[in-house]
Amino acid sequence: MTAPRTLYDKIWDDHVAHRSDDGTCLLYIDRHLVHEVTSPQAFEGLRMAGRKVRAPEKTIAVPDHNVPTTTGREARIDNEESRIQVETLDRNARDFGIHYYPVSDIRQGIVHIIGPEQGWTLPGTTIVCGDSHTATHGAFGALAHGIGTSEVEHVLATQTLIQKKSKNMKVEITGTLGPGVTAKDITMAVIGATGTAGGTGHVIEYCGEAIRALSMEGRMTVCNMAIEGGARAGLIAPDEKTFDYLRGRPHAPKGAAWEAALAFWRTLHTDEGAHFDKVVTIRAEDIAPLVTWGTSPEDVLPITATVPDPESFAGGKVEAARRALDYMGLKPGTRLADVAIDAVFIGSCTNGRIEDLRAAAAILRGRRLAPGVRGMVVPGSGLVRHQAEEEGLAQVFIDAGFEWRLAGCSMCLGMNPDQLAPGERCAATSNRNFEGRQGYKGRTHLMSPAMAAAAAITGRLTDVREMMAETV
Amino acid sequence: MDSFTNLTGIAAPMPLVNIDTDMIIPKQFLKTIKRSGLGRNLFDEMRYDREGNEIADFVLNRPEAKGCQILVAGRNIGCGSSREHAPWALLDFGIRCVISTSFADIFYNNCFKNGILPVTLPAEAVAHLMKDAEKGANARIMIDLPAQTVTAADGTVFAFDIDPFKKHCLVNGLDDIGLSLEKVSAIDAYEAQARTQRPWL
Ligand code: SF4
């Protein structure tokens, strides 16, 4: 009998192509996702060394980070450097014969949204991308690592990644979420509890009743921010919801292959008694709708709280908190619900899926953006956008006064023209509130789509539960 | 990649915790398709004002940091984005070694791929070296990778741990891809076996 193994142990064991005596392994990669910003130097490296892409059929590319989200972009991208980067990806995809979704394709979108949508992301696989939010794919029980450009080149050339095994960490969310509390609040609550380095060196498996109850979209939101907690990857064991989501997707297996895959996927769970190096348990009932107040994703508080006093922290964090409040233009003791906003951004690989747009639209229906507040909805993919239009959600956003954009990363990182002006404050559904992330001197408060919609209506950070009471 | 063995030089102190890769190199500089030339924009938004003038009291603009090759930083440096532009910018600026109590994983890895040595030390050791760093050219720090030690200006020696394979590659300036391709028969064998076990992939 073999010792009980975690889900991570199982996927790891299945993918070791070579192991050196010191434990350094070549981990075989089943799916390699590529975008325009972190890949040009890798393809250039291949060319210079006269190497090929080892497994082009397992390599999938899409431009998402710096594409404009306004119409006409397939004809022309005005920013020259962005255009060159996108054209470089066009050329590399063609020259090396890899799968490609250009901006003109309705299937184009944020790399972490289209991977699952197209059925590339499958349980028990290894997935890498030159992007830290690759963790998203862990929602399907796939081991998904964000990597740097040198590693992108390594995977292109060898279809393997040099890795040592990480430690196992279990994050269990027990019980049931209250009304107005979402997957985003779960993932922010975990980072709030463990810090941005709490997961360093670990692969997190999320489990517990509240995780099981989430949709696939919600699970992707949870795993997406595993990296914000410092983890090497986030995982959720696949179940019937996972299989239902994947059935019939373009690149998911079909027929007999589907049946064989399904039988294998059902073995992908942590065995009873398997060892975890670290365990964190949070009660779902203790999670309130959260917002960030500072410039690190660990700076989270319930919307009912007040801005903290930097002196209340310990160690190096005092200085960081002082700097954060200064940057954010906030004073200790201010009620978070009194903080006025200038902009609302709904989108990103954290919350740019159909369910997120439904949640925001449910709050916005029949209401309008507060005067002076600018609102932007950027669907995560062309297909999400299309579906939202079919379901009438797009009209809800437009009627509420939001801009309805084309798919891309957009104001999540502001590499394209979608940026905050200095000092502008934004209620955002993305994943990073770093200094300058959404624009030079821009101020970001992270929250769920429903919370962002609530803030849009009142023009200040708002407890969505109050709005929900009004709707009933 | 350049090899790394010994380095004696001055350090710049950045005691801030959670220095993220957006700070190290803001996104507007990720539009390049090259690896070179990013040093000018290292810590851009902390280093320059909106008009492009140097902010005098930012550590890298201070005269005592001139020519520094070492950065001593607060915990969890390199968190956030996977952008390798962060180590490219550090390297292009001249930084060959970063010392902290902890590093974010992807950034840590990315340093090695570019000939930068990330050194993890306990809090007291980092505090000691941070003091040296504050003295600029009046305090030189010595790093000996083969011996795995950092020697502070007053002669105190701190030993550090490092993965033997990563050390080997850095000391010899080895190209990972070349090394891995030597194991191509193992990869071929793995692929053949995976095709029968998980044919749907
Ligand atoms: S949406 Fe934001 S976090 Fe996600 S891949 Fe794009 S830039 Fe990165």
Side-chain angles (χ1 to χ4, degrees), chain B residues 64-140:
Chain B
E64 58 278 20
K66 204 161 176 53
C68 68
Q69 292 176 281
I70 303 163
L71 190 69
V72 186
R75 74 174 140 80
N76 198 32
I77 179 170
C79 59
S81 149
S82 66
R83 59 188 70 163
E84 201 162 314
H85 309 68
W88 294 339
L90 286 165
L91 187 69
D92 193 57
F93 182 85
I95 303 285
R96 289 299 307 276
C97 174
V98 182
I99 301 174
S100 178
T101 51
S102 65
F103 291 78
D105 284 327
I106 305 177
F107 176 74
Y108 186 77
N109 255 322
N110 282 343
C111 283
F112 282 101
K113 311 284 178 195
N114 292 283
I116 297 176
L117 172 66
V119 174
T120 314
L121 284 171
E124 312 79 70
V126 173
H128 189 121
L129 296 166
M130 193 71 77
K131 285 217 180 75
D132 277 356
E134 271 148 20
K135 295 181 198 141
N138 292 322
R140 299 180 90 74

Side-chain angles (χ1 to χ4, degrees), chain A residues 64-65 110-112 131 133 224 348-350 408-409 412-413 430-432 437:
Chain A
D64 57 359
H65 277 63
I110 304 170
V111 62
H112 308 308
D131 189 281
H133 291 98
N224 173 274
S348 88
C349 59
T350 316
C409 293
C412 173
L413 91 164
S430 46
N431 46 49
R432 285 192 177 135
R437 174 79 177 179

Side-chain angles (χ1 to χ4, degrees), chain A residues 201-370:
Chain A
H202 292 76
V203 166
I204 297 177
E205 180 175 348
Y206 299 92
C207 59
E209 198 187 334
I211 298 291
R212 287 285 134 229
L214 292 176
S215 65
M216 288 315 295
E217 282 85 354
R219 293 178 190 184
M220 285 188 251
T221 302
V222 170
C223 288
N224 173 274
M225 288 187 71
I227 183 70
E228 254 51 68
R232 281 294 285 145
L235 281 174
I236 294 175
D239 60 12
E240 294 308 315
K241 280 187 195 167
T242 320
F243 311 143
D244 288 344
Y245 178 99
L246 288 171
R247 197 174 283 115
R249 299 264 162 194
H251 295 278
K254 309 264 155 30
W258 169 262
E259 294 306 325
L262 207 53
F264 174 71
W265 293 343
R266 292 193 203 280
T267 69
L268 294 172
H269 52 78
T270 291
D271 297 330
E272 196 70 47
H275 173 74
F276 284 95
D277 302 279
K278 201 169 177 178
V279 177
V280 173
T281 307
I282 295 176
R283 282 166 27 107
E285 291 78 7
D286 293 343
I287 305 176
L290 299 171
V291 294
T292 58
W293 53 266
T295 53
S296 163
E298 70 190 14
D299 300 342
V300 299
L301 278 175
I303 178 65
T304 48
T306 55
V307 176
D309 183 347
E311 306 304 326
S312 67
F313 295 95
K317 187 72 189 176
V318 179
E319 190 44 48
R322 250 191 237 127
R323 184 185 167 92
L325 289 193
D326 180 50
Y327 182 88
M328 294 297 289
L330 293 174
K331 293 218 163 44
T334 309
R335 280 168 23 107
L336 286 167
D338 288 337
V339 174
I341 55 156
D342 307 295
V344 177
F345 169 66
I346 297 174
S348 88
C349 59
T350 316
N351 286 124
R353 284 170 287 268
I354 191 71
E355 186 183 275
D356 302 312
L357 303 191
R358 286 184 194 137
I363 302 294
L364 286 168
R365 189 162 281 123
R367 293 175 165 133
R368 282 199 59 82
L369 267 171

Side-chain angles (χ1 to χ4, degrees), chain A residues 118-139:
Chain A
Q118 293 300 317
W120 291 112
T121 304
L122 297 173
T125 55
T126 46
I127 301 178
V128 294
C129 176
D131 189 281
S132 56
H133 291 98
T134 310
T136 313
H137 307 267

Side-chain angles (χ1 to χ4, degrees), chain A residues 135-174:
Chain A
T136 313
H137 307 267
F140 292 79
L143 179 60
H145 290 309
I147 58 177
T149 299
S150 294
E151 291 174 314
V152 169
E153 185 179 341
H154 189 278
V155 176
L156 289 171
T158 68
Q159 205 57 28
T160 65
L161 185 65
I162 301 175
Q163 279 282 294
K164 268 201 170 163
K165 202 172 167 199
S166 307
K167 294 195 200 115
N168 278 290
M169 175 167 170
K170 172 158 106 171
V171 172
E172 188 176 12
I173 314 292
T174 62

